[in-house]
Amino acid sequence: MGSGRNIDEAGRRSPRRLHTSRTLPSFPTHPGLQSITGLRGALEFLEWPASEWTIKDLQDWFVDHLVTPGLMKRPQIVREPGATPVMLDPRADGGSNLEELIYKARGRVITALRGLIAPVADDRFLNAAIYGGRVRRAAVGGRPVWVASPREIDFLGDIVLSLLAADILLDREFYRAHLCICEVCGRVSFKDSPDARGVCAEHRSHVSGFTPRVR
Ligand SMILES: [Zn+2]
């Protein structure tokens, strides 16, 4: 397993982003990972602090990673358990409701991913995605794959998890071995070796002395 490859910045659809100083985590080079678009969308969602999102950002995110690839229709309203629903209308001001909604959705996604890589794995979110119809079987070039198929009424966290589940279901052992949630900053990335410490590249060289932040 070689080192991951970085996203080609020029290939990104979204020069609008003001977060260019933040680099996305590297992708795994696993040959079985076909639906890389979904994975990119999920990682992009997890990468930005909740406070930096605008309604326009969220709408663009939906369009880039879900609507344009044909995975779902654009929702009018975005929901998440425990958060006030937010209209997906750039003319509206999402304000603190948007931040809270994204914060809660991200928290649920990170919790699910932590379960996947826990010593005793809890990957119930994969079955939940299958039985909830948020992923479906398909064939690409004769190869069996999973495709995210969320609906407009699904919670935001479940929509993000559906993007991840479509990739993880192809090879969950790869994810269990290589998925990394930084124990310092919570960033999601991929590590080259299953034995590597659970910290991102930024914190790899100086982890001692930090207090792990849980979120
Ligand atoms: Zn980190």
Side-chain angles (χ1 to χ4, degrees):
M1 194 62 61
S3 59
R5 63 188 157 89
N6 292 318
I7 287 181
D8 175 12
E9 282 295 320
R12 294 185 62 191
R13 288 172 46 84
S14 315
R16 66 193 143 77
R17 295 298 183 188
L18 45 109
H19 315 287
T20 48
S21 62
R22 299 177 66 85
T23 53
L24 283 168
S26 59
F27 279 146
T29 50
H30 191 264
L33 294 172
Q34 296 291 316
S35 46
I36 207 79
T37 306
L39 179 62
R40 178 195 299 244
L43 293 179
E44 207 170 289
F45 178 82
L46 295 172
E47 186 70 3
W48 298 322
S51 58
E52 290 188 19
W53 286 77
T54 65
I55 298 272
K56 175 75 164 59
D57 287 335
L58 187 58
Q59 179 181 276
D60 288 348
W61 179 83
F62 266 102
V63 169
D64 286 355
H65 300 291
L66 289 148
V67 179
T68 302
L71 302 178
M72 72 181 288
K73 287 193 272 186
R74 187 165 73 80
Q76 304 295 314
I77 296 175
V78 182
R79 300 178 178 83
E80 180 65 21
T84 305
V86 171
M87 291 281 292
L88 199 59
D89 180 346
R91 291 166 299 185
D93 175 17
S96 58
N97 287 343
L98 178 68
E99 180 174 345
E100 185 192 26
L101 184 139
I102 287 182
Y103 182 82
K104 291 196 167 176
R106 176 189 286 122
R108 215 151 55 79
V109 172
I110 295 289
T111 298
L113 292 180
R114 280 193 203 284
L116 182 74
I117 59 176
V120 179
D122 174 2
D123 57 8
R124 283 174 293 179
F125 76 96
L126 295 174
N127 282 335
I130 294 170
Y131 294 118
R134 293 185 293 277
V135 291
R136 60 178 175 81
R137 292 178 187 276
V140 173
R143 296 170 58 107
V145 296
W146 289 89
V147 176
S149 54
R151 292 149 303 186
E152 301 97 281
I153 57 167
D154 286 327
F155 292 123
L156 178 59
D158 290 331
I159 292 171
V160 177
L161 283 172
S162 77
L163 292 172
L164 288 162
D167 276 310
I168 293 170
L169 283 165
L170 283 175
D171 189 348
R172 74 181 77 183
E173 287 310 311
F174 171 82
Y175 274 84
R176 272 186 53 74
H178 292 277
L179 186 69
C180 173
I181 301 173
C182 179
E183 57 195 50
V184 179
C185 68
R187 175 182 245 195
V188 176
S189 61
F190 290 89
K191 53 189 180 182
D192 291 339
S193 151
D195 301 327
R197 290 210 52 186
V199 289
C200 71
E202 196 174 323
H203 293 120
R204 197 159 293 151
S205 55
H206 48 88
V207 286
S208 61
F210 276 91
T211 303
R213 196 184 83 192
V214 178
R215 65 154 295 186

